[in-house]
Structures are given as C-alpha cells and as structure tokens.
Amino acid sequence: MLVPVFTLKLNHKINPHMVTVGKYDGMHPCLTAATQAGKVFIHNPHTRGQRLSSSRITQSTQDSDISLLNINQAVSCLASGVFNPSHEHHSLLVGTQTDLLAYDVHNNSDVFYREVADGANAIVLGQLGGISPPLAIIGGNCALQGFDHEGNDLFWTVTGDNVRSLCLCDFTGDGNNELLVGSEDYDIRVFKEDEMIAEMTETETVTSLCHMHGSRFGYALANGTVGVYDRTARYWRIKSKNQAMSIHAFDLNSDGVCELITGWSNGKIDARSDRTGEVIFKDNFTSSVAGVVEGDYRMDGQIQLICTSVEGEVRGYLPASKEMKGNLMDASVEQDLIRELSNRKQNLLLELRNYQENSKAGTGSKKKEKEGQMGVIPANTQLQTALSVNAGSENQKPSVDLTISTSNDTIIRAVLIFAEGIFEGESHVVHPSAQNLSGCIRVPIIPPKDVPVDLHIKAFVGGKSSTQFHVFELTRQLPRFSMYALCTQGSAPKPRGKATFSITDRLQRVVMWLNQSFLLPEDIEVPDVCFTSLRGAGQLCIKIEQSGEITVSTDDMDLAGDVIQSLSSFLAIEDLSVDADFPDYFEEVRNTLVQVDEYHSVHQRLTAEMADHSNLIRNMLVQAEDARLMGDMKTMKKRYIELFDLNRDLINGYKIRSNNHAELLNCFESCESGDTEGWTITG
C-alpha cells in the first residue's frame, strides 16, 4: 500500500516517456523531464540559492526551482545516471532523431555530443555484459549503439525493426547484464553483448520495458497490454482499453519483491503483483501519466515513488508504515471479502431465477416440450472442433478454417473466440441470424505470423427456440505453421534457396514435429513433404534422409529460420550447424551493397560541393559588406544576387542530399533485416 507524501504543480508540460531523476551534484535528486519546443527542465528544490546559467542552460521565468536546458530539437528520449566511473555525480543523456548529448549539469558543460545517423528512439544507461565502463545505449532505426563517457563507440549491432524500448537485465543469471530490446515488429529480443540469444513475439509494438528482479522483467504494448516475463516464460498479462504510458518496478509492501507500477493514458496509476498481476494499489491523476520514477526527493533516507502527469503535476508516494499498513490491510481484506460474497450472492440469485424460468417453461405446455425445453439440452451434448487449411478462391482469401459443431441436433447461437495477435482487439464474435441457426459454424482465421496460438472458444448452445443457453468453453491450439497447405512436389517451381543440417534423433521424432507444427489431413509417416504458403511466399519443402540429414528448401530465409528454430526447440537441440544457400537473397544483398556504394559516393560529392559553396558564401559576404562600407552599391547588389543564387543551389543540394540519405537508410535497413534473418537460421 502506498501513501501520498508530497504533491507539486510545475508550470511546464511534460512529454510522455521522457522523465528521469538524476543526482547531478552527487547528492540531491532532481526531477528531469522533456518539454515541448526542444527543451529539458531540471527541477531542483534543494539548492535554491544557486542559479545555473550558461549557453545551454537558463533559469525558468515561471518557477525559480526549474532550470531549462535548450536542445533546439525535438527530444526523443531521456536518461540519467553515473556515466563516468571516476565521478559520483550523474550525467544527463538527451537523445534526438539526429544526435546524442551527454551533459554535465553540475559543471554546465557538454560531456560529449555525437551525431547518430539512425536516430535515438530509446536510451538506457548501465553496465552491459563484460564491457567494463557504463554505456549509454541508444536504439534507433534497426540499430543499437553504445557510447562510453568519452563518446567512444564501444558497442554496435543491428536488430529487426525500429527500436521503441530498452532495458538492462541479468536475463541468463550469469551475473552480467543482457540488453532487452522492444521493437515495432512486435518482438522482444535479448542481446548478450552483440549476440542475440532469445526472442519473444508479442501482439503489438513493445513501448516499454523495465527490469524487476533477477531475470524477471515487465513490458507494455501499444494496444494497452501490460505483463511480466521471467526469461522467455510469460507469468501474466492484462489488457486495457487505455494505453500504458510508463512502467516501473517498485517494492511498495516491503516484502523484498518489486511490484509493477503502471501509469495509464487516462491518468490512472496502479500497482500489480509480479506473480499474479493482481491490483494491489491504485490512484488517479486528472490527466495522462507522463512517467513513473523513484528517488529520495525529500532527502530523508526513504525512496519515494514519483509519478508525473503531462500537465506537470507531480506526486510522491511512500510505502505505508506497519501500523497504518495493518489498518489499511484489515479494511482492504474486509472490503474484498464483502465484495466477493456480494458477487457470489448475485450469481446464485441469477442462477436460481434461470432455473425457475426453465421450470415454468417446461411445465407450460406440451408443444414447448416437443420443440425443446428452453435452456435444456441433452446430457450427452458435446462441442467438437476441427481445423483445416482452406486454399481460398477468387472471392475468398486463403485461411485456416475453424469448424465448431455439436454432437446432436442442438444449435450454436453464438461463438466467442479469444486469441493473441490474430483478431483486432484479440477477440472475435460470430452471431448467426435467427434464420441461419445450425449446429455447425465455420470461422475463417488468418494468422499474420508463424507463431503457435491458443484459441479460447466459448459457444452458446441450446435448442432452436431457446432464449437461454449453455456456455461451452474449450481451448484449441493453432499450430505454428498452419498457413501452409500440403501439396505434391512439382506442382510449383522448386525453391532455389535451402538450408541443410544433420541431427542424431530418430526420424520418428521429426515426423511427430511435422504432425504437431502443420495442419495435415492425416498423420504422415513419410518424412519428405512439400507445402504451399497461403501468404504467397512460394513452396516449402522438407526432405529427411535416413542418415539424419535434413534439407529445408524455400526462397524465404526468414521462414527457413523459423522452421529450423521450431524443430531445434522440439528436439531440445541447443547448438546446430547449418549450411545455408539462398542465391536470390544473396543477389539482392549484392545489388543493395552496390547501391550503398553509389549513394555513399554521391553523399561525399554533395558534402564536398556544400563545403565549397560555404567558402564561396563566406567570401562573397565579406566582399558585399566591404562594398557597402565603401558605398559601392552596384558591386554590393551584384554580390548579394550571387549570394541568393548560391543559397538556392545550397537548398537544392540539401534536398538531393536528404533524398540520397533516405535511400541509403533504406538500403541499410534491408541489409540489417537480412542479418537478423540470418541469425534466426544460425543462432
């Protein structure tokens, strides 16, 4: 339980996700946040007699405790912490879409300023793996970079998509931190220095990550989902109609285990158990939450949980004392017990009323008995499900058909299906009209990715004239490669790409994996099969020799990697040597690298021309001013006309340079995506 201990109202709006607390003099914690108009404010109520002033930092005219750091660009991420191991005071790190600034607030000086070509969407500061100095790690356009306190680039690697969140966590339990990366392709990737060691697929963009304790970490998605992982196993998750703006780990009940604190877009703050996701505490702001951090802001030796809103409201919370906690816990337990008993009473009353109505309906007339008693179904009624691959037609897209039927003449009034990452809103309802009621319903499903999905099905079953229905609940797993239809070899051009590896397991185990991972009309026994992708990615052929050599043939290198990873996981193989040959992909990479060389040479030429134009402008400006001072208006006018022409040429050159840079980034992104696919095969 948390108790509010202070409230502040700052006269500055705060950008979401960009809040931190730093001890810039080594002693006093200062709340720091990004504002609009390219500025960062630093709230320091501890040293009111001191006033900071420099070329970058100025005093706020609205609040005497606030200093403003002028960045002059839109801030995209913010962090603070001990950067230089030889100093105790914290440094402030500010990322934009083009640069990274490390700033020493106490000494009013830049630590370093670096241009970042891929942008800085997220930033984290700390120790990574065996790299000795703390690193400022930034994530941008498919790239990760780490800088030490001198600005040296000590870490660089690529990831699958634009980075949205970063977190350091001892994922493997070896005493060294691994880097957790959340990206726009819905994946959470784990890097041990520059090697990717694990990957978890979610259902939306991963907007926030935070380390809780040990190998456990929290995450938030763009669709309002919040949850907790322990390594690759998900403990729990909840979904809200609001968006999670910030998550933070904080021990609010002093049990030595951190709870997950979440700030929401509707202004709600809640704390959830890391084990179950149960809400332990909640509070509300009048506007959206901007960030959740912690620090000893009152300088009394106690760490407070500090929550901020986008309107500049700040609240500090402390865990309740033992006496207060006992009173609050007793009251909370009593309220929970009363609420639970009240809900049980309502449910029992509703169930009793349903039975009474059924009894009246059953004794009302013989005609109703012939048509089927309302809400009463035969005791042997069963709900049956089947999955099949539908290759599609001119009027229907290819899909996986889920068929739900009853075992007798009862009808299905409605079906609710809950599934991650398949339906918009993660749920789908089928409600046939009264004229089309039957005991069988077919639901087409189109999985966007090759991941196994649990389909949680609820069906309303009753008679044709029923107004009340029995609810059947069951779960059916959709295999990982369900969007691939079994076909005969030679029905389409054979793929040119292939990956070959050898295993020592029995071939029957591979056949078991095939039957579990694909939707097959019947269990196969021949370990030589060919599939057609319903997403238009061509054929996938899997050939298994008696010697244990397996060949996966496909032109999609990412698909080949998924197949090998799935089989390796099923057979519990940790290390596997794979020979891969994808000529179409390698040709595409070769063409991309040629384009990169061309764009790079154009970039160098344009940069040289811009430097020449800059020198000419400087000389002409001096000549024009000399002519003006000497009263030679004709020469002055001539020089300014030439300056105007040069400026126009510079603007045109900049547009060309900007387009060239965008094409260069697209080429790099294509290469980096291929590197990730290659890791999936060999990792």
Side-chain angles (χ1 to χ4, degrees), residues 600-620:
H600 189 62
S601 62
V602 171
H603 175 79
Q604 289 180 324
R605 180 173 57 80
L606 291 173
T607 302
E609 289 179 359
M610 187 176 68
D612 293 341
H613 279 72
S614 299
N615 291 330
L616 284 173
I617 286 174
R618 191 180 300 111
N619 293 333
M620 286 186 182

Side-chain angles (χ1 to χ4, degrees), residues 114-136:
R114 288 289 180 272
E115 183 177 343
V116 183
D118 295 309
N121 300 329
I123 188 168
V124 65
L125 175 59
Q127 207 89 24
L128 175 62
I131 303 174
S132 56
L135 295 181

Side-chain angles (χ1 to χ4, degrees), residues 301-470:
Q302 300 182 83
I303 300 297
Q304 297 100 41
L305 180 72
I306 303 171
C307 303
T308 62
S309 75
V310 295
E311 294 298 324
E313 184 180 358
V314 181
R315 291 183 198 168
Y317 299 89
L318 273 178
S321 62
K322 290 185 178 180
E323 297 80 8
M324 186 180 297
K325 190 184 298 182
N327 296 333
L328 291 170
M329 287 295 290
D330 291 341
S332 176
V333 169
E334 290 177 1
Q335 290 176 359
D336 290 343
L337 186 58
I338 292 171
R339 190 181 303 110
E340 182 183 353
L341 291 173
S342 177
N343 289 336
R344 288 175 61 185
K345 178 183 176 182
Q346 293 295 328
N347 291 335
L348 289 171
L349 288 173
L350 181 60
E351 190 174 350
L352 176 61
R353 187 163 62 248
N354 289 339
Y355 282 128
Q356 290 173 345
E357 290 179 0
N358 287 341
S359 177
K360 291 177 183 178
T363 58
S365 64
K366 292 184 179 181
K367 184 179 179 181
K368 286 190 176 180
E369 285 183 2
K370 291 180 181 179
E371 294 177 352
Q373 293 179 331
M374 298 179 67
V376 178
I377 61 176
N380 63 349
T381 303
Q382 293 181 345
L383 193 68
Q384 300 167 341
T385 62
L387 290 168
S388 60
V389 179
N390 185 347
S393 61
E394 293 182 359
N395 301 323
Q396 185 180 7
K397 293 182 179 179
S399 64
V400 176
D401 287 351
L402 171 64
T403 304
I404 305 168
S405 59
T406 60
S407 57
N408 47 38
D409 59 352
T410 54
I411 59 98
I412 301 175
R413 190 66 185 87
V415 173
L416 283 76
I417 305 174
F418 301 89
E420 267 188 76
I422 293 182
F423 307 114
E424 186 177 355
E426 300 190 10
S427 62
H428 182 67
V429 179
V430 180
H431 197 286
S433 61
Q435 295 78 18
N436 297 323
L437 293 177
S438 68
C440 181
I441 288 180
R442 186 182 64 84
V443 183
I445 298 174
I446 306 177
K449 287 188 174 185
D450 294 329
V451 292
V453 178
D454 286 332
L455 303 174
H456 302 282
I457 304 166
K458 294 185 179 182
F460 296 0
V461 178
K464 292 186 177 180
S465 59
S466 295
T467 57
Q468 298 174 5
F469 299 90
H470 284 255

